[in-house]
Amino acid sequence: MTNDIGDIRFSRNIILRIVDDAVETCGGRVTVYNFKGRYKSVMPGNDGVAYTETPEGAEITVYVIIRFGASIRENCRKILDYINDTVEKVMGERPRNVRIVVTGVQSVEIAGRHIVFDSFHRPKHSRE
């Protein structure tokens, strides 16, 4: 982000903290997984959150698993709203795009899904 003072960069750790807080608002019904639907790894960059800064604004993608029976739309909307509002408070502007990718639904075992929610479009199914 650039303003009249200069170029401002935000640490990836700030974004990770905002995402963790957003997921906590869902009361344990949502868990951040990596893009392959596996639990977060200790390896850097394999934590279920992709963050890039572009000249148009920040782009954030979060990969999650949702518990069976929980509303996908309601929980994704709650996470999207929390991230958008908090990033606006911290950075002074809303992110360009926030995308929530549901990589699976968890009951006893994880059933593979790939449903994408983002700030621009309605939910869409993706088989990437």
Side-chain angles (χ1 to χ4, degrees), residues 1-3 7-8 10 15 18 51-60 83-98:
M1 180 174 90
T2 304
N3 62 20
D7 193 31
I8 301 170
F10 289 89
I15 300 302
I18 291 170
Y51 170 69
T52 56
E53 287 189 38
T54 65
E56 296 84 26
E59 293 187 1
I60 303 167
I83 291 172
N84 278 320
D85 294 343
T86 307
V87 168
E88 184 175 19
K89 285 180 198 172
V90 172
M91 294 183 165
E93 64 182 31
R94 291 179 79 79
R96 179 176 179 271
N97 189 24
V98 176

Side-chain angles (χ1 to χ4, degrees), residues 6-122:
D7 193 31
I8 301 170
R9 300 263 181 228
F10 289 89
S11 167
R12 177 177 166 72
N13 291 334
I14 293 171
I15 300 302
L16 294 175
R17 178 61 190 205
I18 291 170
V19 169
D20 281 344
D21 290 347
V23 169
E24 285 179 15
T25 65
C26 295
R29 294 182 302 263
V30 178
T31 306
V32 176
Y33 273 59
N34 68 18
F35 68 96
K36 293 181 180 179
R38 297 195 176 104
Y39 194 68
K40 297 185 289 187
S41 172
V42 295
M43 299 299 293
N46 197 15
D47 51 22
V49 179
Y51 170 69
T52 56
E53 287 189 38
T54 65
E56 296 84 26
E59 293 187 1
I60 303 167
T61 303
V62 182
Y63 299 92
V64 298
I65 298 285
I66 295 186
R67 289 196 178 274
F68 181 78
S71 170
I72 293 173
R73 182 181 302 269
E74 177 185 320
N75 286 293
C76 288
R77 177 59 49 204
K78 189 181 291 189
I79 294 169
L80 279 171
D81 290 344
Y82 187 94
I83 291 172
N84 278 320
D85 294 343
T86 307
V87 168
E88 184 175 19
K89 285 180 198 172
V90 172
M91 294 183 165
E93 64 182 31
R94 291 179 79 79
R96 179 176 179 271
N97 189 24
V98 176
R99 177 176 290 143
I100 309 296
V101 179
V102 180
T103 59
V105 176
Q106 183 176 12
S107 57
V108 175
E109 295 182 18
I110 296 174
R113 301 285 187 270
H114 214 78
I115 304 169
V116 179
F117 284 78
D118 64 24
S119 299
F120 295 132
H121 303 92
R122 294 228 175 254

